[in-house]
Amino acid sequence: MALYRLLDVLPAFAGDERVTRCFTLVPGSDFGADALSAIEETGARTVPWDEARSRTYDLVVAASPKGDLGQLRGPHVLLPHGAGFNKTLRYEGSADSASGLDPVYLSRSEGSAPIALHALAHPDQLARLTTVAPQAARRAKVVGDPTLERVLASRAHRDRYRDALGTGPRTLVALASTWGPESLIRRRPGLPARLATQLPYDEYQLALVVHPNEWSRLGAFELRQRLEPALAAGMLLPRPRDEWASTLVAADALVTDHGSAALYYAAVGDRPVVAGCRGGDELLPGSPMDVLLGGVPELGAAEDLPKVLRAYRPGRASDAADAAFTHRHDALRRLRDEFYALLDLAPPTLPAPAATPLPLPAAPRRTPSAFDVHVEFREGGGVVIARHPAGTGTPGHHLAVEHGAASEQLARSAGLLYRRQLPRSPGTAGLNWTFDGWARQVLSDSPGCRTAATVLATGRCLLHVRGHDRSYVLETGPVAENGRLARVDPAAAVSAAHAWLTRTGPTATSDTEVSLTCVVGERAFPVRLRPATDGEAQQEV
């Protein structure tokens, strides 16, 4: 959405009481209602269109040349709408012209306000503009991309973004979908749910970045309803303002269409990019996105994603980003200089403000309440675990269900029922279970269940297996890798212990500690299992 591009450049005027900012909406946009709502969320002042075109302004800044923009009196600055000019829209403007470089929209009729500056992000864009619209090119300058500057300024916050998303040691795969009939979610509407259910939950996290125009076209409620199977399986849906970019900074891999979000991702670092679809006749040959999509592997079946990610070869993404961006770290300063020159004002004496890092993503997170758990036993106590949301694939070794969170039907079918200890307010009245009391009640109420377990707030777990005389304490250890410590979800480790205990029987642990290994993907997490003391079994949960 053009509004978000404007919000990224307005810090150029920060701290200057001589400049008053206001917004108006050019009539004719299919997405106008959501734009007005987004402006209201910022607390900015808006001016009705009829009033806006009756006044004269010292500067008019726009991120799209379309509509009756020329009716606004004052020098105009035109910003790029996205990362480069990669797309043509056959149903509007000139045939085969890049959206944003179309001479139909860049030429102004007599009496319309002229474009004083066309700000571009790369010299190749200026060369293209010179070819298609020489008059407009005379007022164009290469200044860089302020949105990219914000993205690059946020790289140091990557770990914080991943913590906010709950990624942990998983591989975060972002899906990027532009808008229109050739977008990923229109061409492959079932792909998000397929990936969310086919990829092992403890190895991969999925996030879908949807273009603001699609949010506006469908509405947030309708979009979430269409994506419900994927969201229920744990997929994240970042909101269109800022969160899309912080999610891309956090991501380990990207599945994309021909939308420009992929170029911002590619500029952050040379991480794997996969083509989910290639844009059809909207993608312009020779554009940076064409360079990117032409050099990366393509995703066929969803379950092939791990193999396709391994097929990515470094260099492809960074080459495309180099073709889209220049002046990567001083775009805002350059724009400020241009703005103040057009205003005929001396810039403030303070240095130009640095690009503002992106905020923490706050997209709602949902954890599946039931898993089909696939198990493989290895010699020496290794238990390989792969959890998938229940009912989305073939049944596994057992069904693990979160007690009190899943449906009664799933709970009745569970081989393992577990709960996560909730924090309690100190000093309040309560009537709470001991672990032993809760476990025996659960096993009594659920005759088909073999194991009841509680994940304590400390990360330790208590579990009781039907037919065993004593409860057990389970503790998991981290895996060290490249100076970091990776930890497994304790509920996954409980599934490993459940599988091992129900296979070996009640004499396997006797009164000593047993060492197991919970294998998730390529990581082998140490697990210690021992009989619980009477005090541990009777602790409040």
Side-chain angles (χ1 to χ4, degrees):
M1 187 180 291
L3 168 66
Y4 299 147
R5 178 56 59 109
L6 296 177
L7 293 174
D8 284 342
V9 305
L10 286 181
F13 302 110
D16 193 340
E17 73 281 357
R18 299 171 298 173
V19 177
T20 300
R21 293 143 284 261
C22 59
F23 292 83
T24 192
L25 184 67
V26 180
S29 171
D30 294 334
F31 315 109
D34 275 16
L36 286 173
S37 297
I39 293 172
E40 289 177 1
E41 285 183 12
T42 69
R45 179 188 173 198
T46 59
V47 179
W49 173 251
D50 286 340
E51 179 184 340
R53 64 179 183 170
S54 70
R55 296 166 56 179
T56 299
Y57 295 90
D58 297 298
L59 194 64
V60 176
V61 184
S64 172
K66 298 176 183 178
D68 294 327
L69 192 64
Q71 295 184 27
L72 295 177
R73 294 197 296 270
H76 284 216
V77 174
L78 183 61
L79 305 171
H81 183 71
F85 302 94
N86 307 289
K87 180 189 294 189
T88 183
L89 302 179
R90 309 289 180 181
Y91 50 84
E92 63 178 36
S94 306
D96 299 326
S97 287
S99 181
L101 293 181
D102 194 329
V104 169
Y105 298 109
L106 295 178
S107 59
R108 293 287 172 87
S109 60
E110 187 176 349
S112 296
I115 298 174
L117 171 66
H118 193 165
L120 300 171
H122 194 278
D124 287 351
Q125 297 170 11
L126 180 56
R128 292 169 67 187
L129 183 61
T130 301
T131 300
V132 300
Q135 286 287 110
R138 284 198 284 269
R139 298 181 298 275
K141 290 186 179 181
V142 178
V143 298
D145 187 310
T147 298
L148 174 68
E149 199 167 346
R150 287 195 71 196
V151 172
L152 295 179
S154 303
R155 288 181 293 185
H157 299 257
R158 186 168 188 259
D159 287 346
R160 297 178 65 233
Y161 297 153
R162 291 173 68 86
D163 285 345
L165 295 170
T167 304
R170 294 181 290 176
T171 297
L172 174 55
V173 178
L175 305 180
S177 179
T178 187
W179 66 285
E182 296 293 340
S183 65
L184 184 68
I185 60 171
R186 300 247 210 128
R187 290 293 302 274
R188 303 186 68 174
L191 182 62
R194 187 76 177 164
L195 285 171
T197 56
Q198 291 301 308
L199 295 175
Y201 179 83
D202 297 296
E203 298 174 51
Y204 294 90
Q205 184 183 37
L206 199 66
L208 175 60
V209 172
V210 178
H211 193 282
N213 286 358
E214 285 295 324
W215 280 85
S216 184
R217 181 180 73 90
L218 294 173
F221 175 81
E222 178 64 21
L223 180 62
R224 291 190 179 101
Q225 287 296 301
R226 293 189 182 195
L227 296 170
E228 175 57 24
L231 297 174
M235 186 185 78
L236 303 171
L237 184 62
R239 292 173 296 188
R241 171 62 180 156
D242 290 343
E243 282 190 9
W244 69 272
S246 55
T247 300
L248 291 185
V249 172
D252 298 295
L254 179 71
V255 178
T256 187
D257 54 19
H258 60 306
S260 61
L263 292 169
Y264 290 111
Y265 173 83
V268 172
D270 199 351
R271 301 195 291 269
V273 179
V274 171
C277 57
R278 296 188 178 272
D281 61 1
E282 289 186 356
L283 179 63
L284 283 172
S287 65
M289 271 308 303
D290 186 44
V291 171
L292 177 60
L293 294 177
V296 301
E298 187 167 5
L299 178 63
E303 53 268 26
D304 293 337
L305 181 63
K307 178 178 66 177
V308 175
L309 290 178
R310 289 192 293 271
Y312 175 78
R313 294 293 174 262
R316 303 297 190 182
S318 56
D319 288 347
D322 289 343
F325 304 114
T326 190
H327 302 309
R328 296 192 181 197
H329 298 285
D330 64 348
L332 195 59
R333 179 193 63 78
R334 288 171 172 270
L335 263 178
R336 187 177 82 150
D337 290 346
E338 298 293 340
F339 287 157
Y340 277 95
L342 290 170
L343 288 169
D344 197 23
L345 288 176
T349 55
L350 294 174
T356 306
L358 299 159
L360 293 177
R365 285 192 278 141
R366 293 166 62 181
T367 301
S369 58
F371 291 97
D372 283 316
V373 184
H374 295 260
V375 174
E376 176 189 338
F377 296 100
R378 293 181 178 174
E379 291 185 8
V383 185
V384 181
I385 293 293
R387 297 193 299 171
H388 298 269
T392 60
T394 56
H397 172 275
H398 63 271
L399 177 65
V401 176
E402 186 172 356
H403 187 262
S407 69
E408 185 178 350
Q409 180 181 3
L410 283 171
R412 286 200 303 266
S413 303
L416 163 64
L417 281 167
Y418 67 94
R419 62 181 294 190
R420 297 183 189 269
Q421 187 178 33
L422 298 176
R424 306 189 192 282
S425 300
T428 58
L431 181 63
N432 303 316
W433 287 104
T434 65
F435 170 72
D436 189 63
W438 174 80
R440 294 183 186 280
Q441 182 66 43
V442 164
L443 294 176
S444 174
D445 292 343
S446 306
C449 180
R450 298 286 303 276
T451 300
T454 292
V455 178
L456 301 175
T458 60
R460 288 198 312 162
C461 305
L462 296 168
L463 59 155
H464 191 94
V465 182
R466 188 184 299 276
H468 290 222
D469 293 334
R470 304 183 70 174
S471 296
Y472 299 94
V473 174
L474 179 150
E475 294 180 279
T476 62
V479 172
E481 48 186 43
N482 300 320
R484 298 180 180 228
L485 295 176
R487 297 185 183 276
V488 69
D489 179 357
V494 166
S495 273
H498 161 81
W500 188 81
L501 285 167
T502 54
R503 184 191 194 205
T504 56
T507 61
T509 59
S510 62
D511 290 325
T512 61
E513 181 178 292
V514 174
S515 295
L516 305 175
T517 304
C518 176
V519 182
V520 176
E522 297 180 354
R523 294 183 176 95
F525 296 93
V527 175
R528 295 178 295 277
L529 187 67
R530 61 172 174 80
T533 65
D534 290 342
E536 289 169 327
Q538 294 301 318
Q539 74 179 86
E540 183 180 3
V541 297

